[in-house]
Amino acid sequence: MRNDERVWRAVDERRDSYAAFSDRVWEMPEIAYTEKRSVAEHVAMLEKEGARITRDLAGIPTAVMGEWGEGGPVIAILGEYDALPGLSQEAGIAEPKPVEGQGGNGHGCGHNLLGAASLLAAAAVKDWLAENGIPGRVRYYGCPAEEGGAAKGFMARDGVFDDVDIAISWHPASFSGVNEAVSLANTRIDFTFHGRSSHAAAAPELGRSALDAVELMNVGVNYMREHMPDHARIHYAMLDGGGIAPNVVQSRAKVRYLIRAADLPELNTLVGRVKKIAEGAALMTETRVETGVVSAVSNLLGNAPLERAMHDNFQRLGPPQWDEADREYAAQIQATLSEADIKAAHRRHGLKVEPGKTLCDIIVPLENRGEGGVGSTDVGDVSWAVPTVQARGATCAIGTPFHSWQLTAQGKSPAAHKGMLHVAKVMAGTAVDAIRDPALIERAKAEFRERTGGKPYESPLPKDLSPPIKAMGQGV
């Protein structure tokens, strides 16, 4: 009997309870740092699995860790459970229809599945450790606020992962395979302009418009886009336009900028340029500008030994097994998508488009390299603190855009449950391989030291910045 097969059976034994667990989290979508009910569900499951539980990690009320085992290496399996604003959607249909009573939030990135599969994998490894009497510890880290809140960044900055040997995670996707370790570093900065109010008709010359300053800043940044690296990205959202009265010169206005770059040095350069534009806008309008970092994340750091080990588990397990009902619903979802959506999904994984294919029935080759479609994740900070590997698990129709009603609609589907169980087996198998083979952990650490130059992790977050527990809710 192969040990990896036993750990996979431990996943199957929990199939129904963890599918129901994922669905419960789907039904209570909570945005960054507000995941009180969602983390309570995770704590209840950790208690049921007999974990040693640590709450309020890094001072974050919705962060939790459960641990099993004694001695040996420490394997971390990372989960998430935050939702997104504006993506409420009824499950199991193929047309946009928000759910009443959810406050407009929805699991448009599949984090209900993400947390459930990761905890499931950790529970299966826990069983394997106990049955085999092997020294080792497995931890489930419940991580909130991935969508723009950088919770893992705050956790890494505060040393939450310092004694971890390797970290394993995953993300829902439309294809199955090892996640290519490419992401953009980013930071969110609020720019608040302060001017002087006055009557816009009777005494406009006495006013100094903060709203004018925001608009001039936006124009300046838009002109800068031509003169920055192709892969860099800058987005903004108006947080405070100065009120609703057009006959009052706006004395205060606030804009949030999200700046992305390939790595931290490039990001810092772009941030400096954006700040200069803000200062210029303030000079032009005779206003004053204040800046405040909300969050920041590092780019992902890959680890070839762990990626090969995870790919081996994918190969041994094979792709998820779909039935005709799964394919039929996926086809209905695909009918709501554009051809560009479907092509983009294939490009992100370096695959050729196969017309008519609705669900992934392959394992993406390890050597494949995607084109475009790079986002950001706070897993990047974990990857600079400890050797880290991520999977992509097929849980939705090929071409489904993330942060869309279509993704939310598929979050409770039988295909989503099958994909969740499939990737839980991959993560559990990878953890078992690492515990059984100390040389794998040493190879992972050796490459980690080589890639980091042996330097300790340096957080992109300001040292005095606290988690933006009351200020967040903006997605990545």
Side-chain angles (χ1 to χ4, degrees), residues 63-409:
V64 66
M65 186 265 284
E67 182 185 66
W68 302 267
E70 301 289 345
V74 177
I75 310 299
I77 303 181
L78 313 178
E80 300 164 13
Y81 31 77
D82 57 323
L84 285 156
L87 289 178
S88 176
Q89 167 64 33
E90 186 175 320
I93 63 174
E95 60 177 334
K97 186 178 180 182
V99 177
E100 293 184 9
Q102 287 189 346
N105 301 331
H107 274 285
C109 208
H111 292 183
N112 60 301
L113 299 161
L114 202 169
S118 293
L119 205 162
L120 172 55
V125 176
K126 174 260 296 189
D127 284 1
W128 179 85
L129 285 169
E131 291 173 12
N132 288 277
I134 294 176
R137 284 169 285 168
V138 60
R139 293 177 182 168
Y140 170 74
Y141 283 89
C143 306
E146 190 276 336
E147 298 290 0
K152 295 186 198 69
F154 288 100
M155 293 162 71
R157 188 191 66 179
D158 286 11
V160 169
F161 305 104
D162 283 357
D163 64 341
V164 169
D165 287 284
I166 67 168
I168 300 170
S169 190
W170 80 289
H171 200 285
S174 54
F175 287 92
S176 294
V178 177
N179 181 66
E180 185 181 355
V182 177
S183 75
L184 298 176
N186 81 36
T187 188
R188 282 171 169 75
I189 303 177
D190 287 352
F191 294 86
T192 305
F193 290 88
H194 301 273
R196 184 191 307 156
S197 62
S198 69
H199 195 295
E205 73 280 4
L206 300 179
R208 298 294 182 266
S209 173
L211 181 57
D212 285 354
V214 167
E215 292 190 287
L216 285 167
M217 179 184 177
N218 293 343
V219 170
V221 172
N222 282 333
Y223 275 109
M224 191 188 82
R225 295 177 195 275
E226 184 183 357
H227 308 288
M228 64 185 200
D230 290 343
H231 48 257
R233 297 287 186 269
I234 298 182
H235 332 285
Y236 62 87
M238 184 71 73
L239 301 187
D240 179 2
I244 61 172
N247 60 332
V248 177
V249 174
Q250 295 87 352
S251 63
R252 183 181 183 275
K254 186 175 183 180
V255 63
R256 176 168 295 172
Y257 266 80
L258 169 52
I259 306 165
R260 308 185 199 245
D263 52 33
L264 292 178
E266 184 178 279
L267 177 65
N268 291 335
T269 297
L270 278 179
V271 167
R273 294 174 68 188
V274 172
K275 286 183 175 180
K276 287 180 180 179
I277 291 171
E279 292 164 1
L283 283 171
M284 284 188 285
T285 55
E286 296 186 57
T287 59
R288 175 175 58 87
V289 63
E290 292 179 344
T291 63
V293 174
V294 177
S295 64
V297 301
S298 303
N299 54 295
L300 274 170
L301 188 69
N303 192 281
L306 293 180
E307 289 161 5
R308 286 192 291 269
M310 178 172 276
H311 182 69
D312 182 57
N313 275 273
F314 269 114
Q315 290 288 92
R316 296 201 307 267
L317 188 60
Q321 300 300 303
W322 317 114
D323 60 28
E324 286 307 309
D326 298 328
R327 295 187 178 90
E328 181 179 346
Y329 180 47
Q332 293 174 19
I333 291 291
Q334 276 196 346
T336 72
L337 307 175
S338 69
E339 185 177 340
D341 289 325
I342 296 170
K343 287 182 177 179
H346 286 83
R347 285 200 308 271
R348 281 195 295 273
H349 299 280
L351 297 168
K352 294 182 178 179
V353 178
E354 296 184 48
K357 180 178 286 190
T358 59
L359 288 167
C360 170
D361 58 5
I362 63 165
I363 301 301
V364 175
L366 187 60
E367 65 273 11
N368 276 32
R369 294 295 177 264
E371 300 177 18
V374 179
S376 304
T377 173
D378 59 5
V379 177
D381 290 275
V382 182
S383 75
W384 283 89
V386 60
T388 301
V389 65
Q390 279 188 288
R392 288 277 168 173
T395 58
C396 61
I398 294 172
T400 305
F402 291 100
H403 299 191
S404 70
W405 69 261
Q406 289 96 333
L407 199 290
T408 309

